Amino acid sequence: RVQDPYVLRCIPQVHGAVRQCLQHVKAVVEVESGSATDNPLILPDGRAISCGNFHGQPLGVAADYLGLSLCSLANISERRTFRLMDPAYSGLPAFLTPQGGLNSGLMMIQYTAASLCSECKVLAHPSSVDTIPTSAGQEDHVSMSATAARKARDIAWNVATVLAIEYMSACQALEFRDRSGLSPSGAAAYALLRSRVHAVDADREMSADIAAARELILSGALIEAATGTGVALC
């Protein structure tokens, strides 16, 4: 091909933007978790100062930012999975099954990834832009940060599942290729998944396989295998 598609060629830009978001959100959470959020603030000299330190706007905006950013990671991951399934793009058997026609291969888990991406987009609607006055108008601008954080948590779980599906699909694609040319990191990532999830030779129920692949990602085991540095993601 003259050029790779964006989902391959622009990995550094898209993944890098997500990484930058994670660093920013982590910094915000660290600052806010170490802050005084009481109202009033009781100072050492005994004064009680009415304040707004309880307001969760910094966390609400950060959680919305996190959710939006993770949607991009899910979207680009699912598009790479899609390309692996289509022989026109990959040159591999349709749906990565060695027995096409009799078996659906990984077709259904790509459906799952696509569905989760769509759900993430619904959840990504920002909560921090919404506010409804309460307490007789005294609390007239609220952050909705708890809602933003819950939605970001749900998006993160969905994205972990989408990434697990891409991980499974990439390793399944390698069943049709000479693996001797893999980089040490690629070979380690492949071997790690195969220690938990067998190649798909015929149709089977794959929820347990997805869960196993997701656990390898979230626990940091995949990073440790590929880089020698274990960094747990949750």
Side-chain angles (χ1 to χ4, degrees):
R1 295 184 179 90
V2 175
Q3 290 183 325
D4 286 325
Y6 284 10
V7 295
L8 299 177
R9 185 157 35 112
C10 301
I11 285 174
Q13 289 73 28
V14 177
H15 289 210
V18 175
R19 184 180 292 271
Q20 186 176 38
C21 168
L22 293 174
Q23 292 170 346
H24 171 74
V25 172
K26 181 175 182 288
V28 171
V29 171
E30 288 174 344
V31 168
E32 293 302 312
S33 62
S35 300
T37 57
D38 293 331
N39 178 52
L41 286 177
I42 307 301
L43 302 183
D45 61 8
R47 286 182 297 159
I49 306 297
S50 178
C51 71
N53 280 12
F54 57 84
H55 203 291
Q57 196 70 21
L59 290 171
V61 171
D64 282 338
Y65 178 26
L66 176 61
L68 288 167
S69 181
L70 289 176
C71 281
S72 294
L73 187 60
N75 288 338
I76 197 170
S77 173
E78 186 278 327
R79 287 293 83 193
R80 289 193 296 259
T81 297
F82 170 83
R83 295 183 72 89
L84 287 171
M85 302 291 168
D86 191 331
Y89 295 117
S90 67
L92 300 171
F95 309 117
L96 303 177
T97 176
Q99 301 183 61
L102 297 176
N103 295 280
S104 298
L106 273 61
M107 178 177 69
M108 297 309 298
I109 66 171
Q110 189 262 324
Y111 282 18
T112 301
S115 176
L116 290 173
C117 285
S118 292
E119 182 177 303
C120 285
K121 293 165 193 173
V122 173
L123 291 171
H125 176 79
S127 294
S128 58
V129 299
D130 188 26
T131 181
I132 297 177
T134 58
S135 189
Q138 183 70 10
E139 298 172 2
D140 54 357
H141 184 280
V142 296
S143 67
M144 302 299 289
S145 56
T147 303
R150 289 200 308 271
K151 293 199 296 98
R153 177 197 60 194
D154 292 344
I155 290 171
W157 182 256
N158 287 348
V159 173
T161 303
V162 173
L163 293 175
I165 290 170
E166 183 186 6
Y167 185 20
M168 288 175 56
S169 301
C171 290
Q172 180 69 14
L174 288 171
E175 302 302 326
F176 305 97
R177 287 289 185 261
D178 180 5
R179 295 188 293 277
S180 64
L182 285 174
S183 68
S185 293
Y190 171 83
L192 177 66
L193 184 72
R194 286 291 171 258
S195 71
R196 298 283 300 277
V197 177
H198 297 305
V200 180
D201 297 321
D203 283 357
R204 66 175 188 252
E205 198 277 324
M206 284 187 275
S207 61
D209 297 336
I210 294 173
R214 183 175 57 219
E215 192 275 331
L216 293 175
I217 293 171
L218 293 177
S219 68
L222 176 56
I223 293 177
E224 184 173 12
T227 67
T229 303
V231 181
L233 301 183
C234 76

